[in-house]
């Protein structure tokens, strides 16, 4: 029963884990409620429900409904737009979610905290479709690829309105560099047409460190201070900090430069084209480099429906299913077999699948220690509040 209640809460987009724990305690079952009956093969039969928590703007329109139709499993689908929001829920526990999608460098430390269930590969026959080179690269974050299945990948770079930026900067246009947002000389000129930053400390501070030539994986406090100082200097020119609002705002010309995830900037490009509003959006991976991220589907250790979760992961690993997500959302997937299912307009778009010289500028990210993150969060609060 509690599972269904949780699902209803998720349906409404509101979810209060403490309230659920309270209900369980009041019912006199502090740990687990009596489980559902045992099914054939000795495994517990799960309720036909799946609670998915994914990034916003990160799935195709029919992905979920097709899974529901095929399996009879009802999916409660919730979204977030920062790793930080997801992490708070995962570290608190009892999130109620069956599938979550942290970036690999977040999954790395969450796994150390015991947050995830090891994947059961026997339930993932489509696993062989995944890109082996990417899987090997990911073992730095997820040894033996134990907990995560790569979903989509991207760089954190700059989405911009080509015409407005050129108009604001005149002939002096560094359209290949983080200087566009981190050099006050340029940021001041772009203030009026609108600069936005992601609302995530590592995304912005690591990008600032890359601009400064500092290793973004550094945990030295003087390196953090250097990034803080840099971002504070341009803070007066930043219109807002938000990690998804910029898609629409770039698309309709409300803002002109966003520190952005690749696919989100490209969605803005597509939305502008569809509405034929004359807005021309491009994405740049700065010459100094950019943080490379792979978002990983994983199953929380306390997921109420781990079998359904495996079925969902296996479904997403079908090449034609994930290719459709890449087609709609302009993110390359971690599925090598999916490439054959992409329309040429996506497969051959160098902004979606960047050429090797651009990929060479991607910087892998390792987990931060929780202590360093605390310092980083304090710096972020100082930046955001302007103190
Ligand atoms: C989707 C953003 C996903 C990329 N809107 C963040 N890792």
């Amino acid at each position: 029963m509690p599972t269904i209640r949780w699902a209803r809460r998720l349906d409404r987009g509101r979810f209060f884990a403490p309230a659920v724990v309270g209900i369980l305690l009041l019912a006199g079952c502090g740990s687990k409620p009596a489980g559902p009956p045992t099914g054939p093969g000795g495994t517990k039969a799960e309720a036909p429900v799946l609670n998915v928590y994914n990034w916003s703007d990160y799935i195709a329109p029919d992905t979920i409904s097709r899974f529901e139709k095929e399996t009879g499993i009802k999916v409660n689908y919730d979204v977030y737009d920062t790793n930080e929001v997801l992490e708070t829920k995962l570290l608190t526990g009892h999130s109620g979610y069956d599938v979550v999608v942290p970036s690999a460098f977040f999954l790395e430390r969450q796994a150390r905290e015991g947050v995830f269930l090891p994947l059961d590969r026997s339930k993932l026959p489509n696993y062989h479709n995944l890109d082996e080179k990417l899987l090997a690269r990911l073992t730095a974050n997820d040894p033996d690829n134990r907990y995560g299945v790569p979903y989509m990948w991207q760089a954190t770079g700059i989405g911009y309105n080509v015409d407005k930026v050129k108009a604001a900067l005149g002939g002096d246009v560094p359209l290949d560099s983080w200087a566009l947002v981190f050099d006050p000389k340029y940021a001041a000129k772009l203030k009026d047409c609108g600069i936005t930053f992601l609302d995530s400390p590592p995304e912005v501070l690591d990008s600032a460190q890359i601009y400064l030539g500092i290793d973004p994986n550094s945990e030295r406090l003087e390196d953090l201070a250097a990034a803080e100082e840099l971002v504070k200097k341009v803070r007066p020119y930043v219109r807002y900090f938000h990690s998804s609002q910029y898609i629409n705002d770039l698309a309709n010309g409300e803002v002109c430069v966003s520190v952005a995830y690749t696919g989100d900037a490209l969605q803005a490009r597509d939305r502008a084209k569809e509405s034929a509003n004359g807005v021309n959006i491009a994405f740049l991976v700065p010459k100094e480099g950019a943080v490379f991220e792979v978002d990983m589907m994983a199953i929380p250790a306390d997921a109420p429906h781990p079998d359904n979760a495996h079925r969902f992961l296996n479904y997403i690993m079908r090449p034609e299913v994930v290719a459709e997500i890449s087609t709609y959302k302009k993110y390359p997937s971690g599925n090598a077999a999916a490439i054959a299912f992409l329309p040429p307009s996506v497969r051959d778009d160098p902004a979606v699948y960047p050429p090797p010289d651009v990929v060479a500028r991607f910087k892998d990210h390792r987990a931060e220690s929780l202590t360093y993150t605390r310092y980083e969060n304090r710096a972020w609060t100082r930046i955001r509040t302007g103190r």
Side-chain angles (χ1 to χ4, degrees):
M1 281 304 120
T3 303
I4 293 166
R5 222 161 14 223
W6 290 8
R8 283 204 193 119
R9 284 169 187 279
L10 288 163
D11 254 337
R12 291 202 304 263
R14 288 205 193 96
F15 189 65
F16 300 108
V20 174
V21 172
I23 289 162
L24 295 181
L25 288 172
L26 279 176
C29 47
S31 55
K32 279 234 154 196
T38 302
T43 54
K44 300 270 184 209
E46 286 178 3
V49 172
L50 181 73
N51 300 323
V52 177
Y53 199 33
N54 193 4
W55 294 82
S56 52
D57 301 293
Y58 220 29
I59 200 143
D62 296 334
T63 313
I64 297 297
S65 56
R66 286 203 189 126
F67 175 79
E68 289 183 317
K69 211 167 161 200
E70 187 177 307
T71 61
I73 294 170
K74 160 91 177 83
V75 178
N76 299 301
Y77 189 82
D78 279 1
V79 296
Y80 53 89
D81 65 4
T82 69
N83 273 303
E84 288 76 10
V85 167
L86 169 62
E87 180 161 271
T88 303
K89 293 204 174 161
L90 289 177
L91 295 183
T92 305
H94 304 288
S95 70
Y97 290 110
D98 298 301
V99 175
V100 292
V101 194
S103 299
F105 70 104
F106 271 81
L107 173 133
E108 181 182 344
R109 77 169 171 204
Q110 290 156 359
R112 273 192 233 128
E113 301 293 317
V115 161
F116 301 114
L117 199 69
L119 297 171
D120 182 345
R121 297 264 184 94
S122 72
K123 293 180 182 156
L124 303 173
N126 292 331
Y127 197 88
H128 66 94
N129 291 319
L130 298 178
D131 179 336
E132 278 181 23
K133 277 202 192 128
L134 184 66
L135 285 173
R137 189 169 178 168
L138 283 167
T139 56
N141 299 109
D142 183 19
D144 302 321
N145 305 113
R146 190 151 190 244
Y147 297 107
V149 167
Y151 181 62
M152 306 276 157
W153 53 268
Q154 75 273 174
T156 301
I158 302 174
Y160 64 101
N161 181 317
V162 179
D163 305 311
K164 284 201 173 174
V165 167
K166 283 190 176 160
L169 297 183
D172 187 13
V173 194
L175 289 184
D176 59 353
S177 167
W178 281 115
L180 204 58
V181 291
F182 290 137
D183 184 335
K185 179 172 72 191
Y186 300 120
K189 289 187 186 163
L190 294 165
K191 178 179 185 233
D192 287 345
C193 69
I195 299 178
T196 78
F197 279 8
L198 294 168
D199 188 13
S200 167
E203 300 295 348
V204 174
L205 293 168
D206 292 352
S207 301
Q209 288 177 328
I210 290 173
Y211 175 58
L212 292 170
I214 296 169
D215 173 8
N217 286 308
S218 163
E219 296 220 336
R220 288 163 25 128
L221 293 184
E222 51 269 48
D223 290 340
L224 175 60
E228 179 181 349
E229 200 188 324
L230 181 76
V231 179
K232 273 184 173 162
K233 285 203 184 111
V234 294
R235 170 70 182 92
Y237 312 121
V238 176
R239 189 171 298 174
Y240 64 70
F241 294 81
H242 197 279
S243 297
S244 52
Q245 176 61 34
Y246 68 90
I247 305 178
N248 270 333
D249 287 348
L250 271 179
N252 62 27
E254 272 296 305
V255 304
C256 67
V257 181
S258 295
V259 174
Y261 299 119
T262 318
D264 287 5
L266 300 178
Q267 288 172 51
R269 178 192 69 181
D270 292 356
R271 284 183 205 175
K273 260 192 214 148
E274 274 155 30
S275 65
N277 61 2
V279 171
N280 177 15
I281 302 294
F283 179 77
L284 93 103
V285 177
K287 64 178 179 204
E288 297 89 358
V291 171
F292 171 66
E293 276 171 28
V294 186
D295 296 316
M296 311 283 278
M297 292 187 296
I299 305 174
D302 57 4
H305 314 99
D307 279 335
N308 297 346
H310 279 90
R311 280 181 84 172
F312 184 74
L313 263 52
N314 197 48
Y315 165 77
I316 296 288
M317 281 188 273
R318 275 189 213 159
E320 65 278 17
V321 170
V322 76
E324 192 168 56
I325 302 173
S326 290
T327 301
Y328 274 96
K329 295 300 167 187
K330 302 299 185 293
Y331 280 100
S333 79
N335 189 311
I339 307 270
F341 292 84
L342 294 172
S345 61
V346 175
R347 192 191 57 211
D348 302 334
D349 181 346
V352 181
Y353 279 93
D357 64 307
V358 174
V359 172
R361 300 206 288 272
F362 290 173
K363 304 210 185 291
D364 284 332
H365 211 302
R366 295 298 312 277
E368 290 175 356
S369 66
L370 287 166
T371 308
Y372 181 79
T373 297
R374 267 199 295 280
Y375 283 108
E376 203 179 41
N377 287 343
R378 283 182 208 150
W380 193 244
T381 304
R382 289 190 293 271
I383 290 166
R384 289 209 46 163
T385 58
R387 279 186 209 131

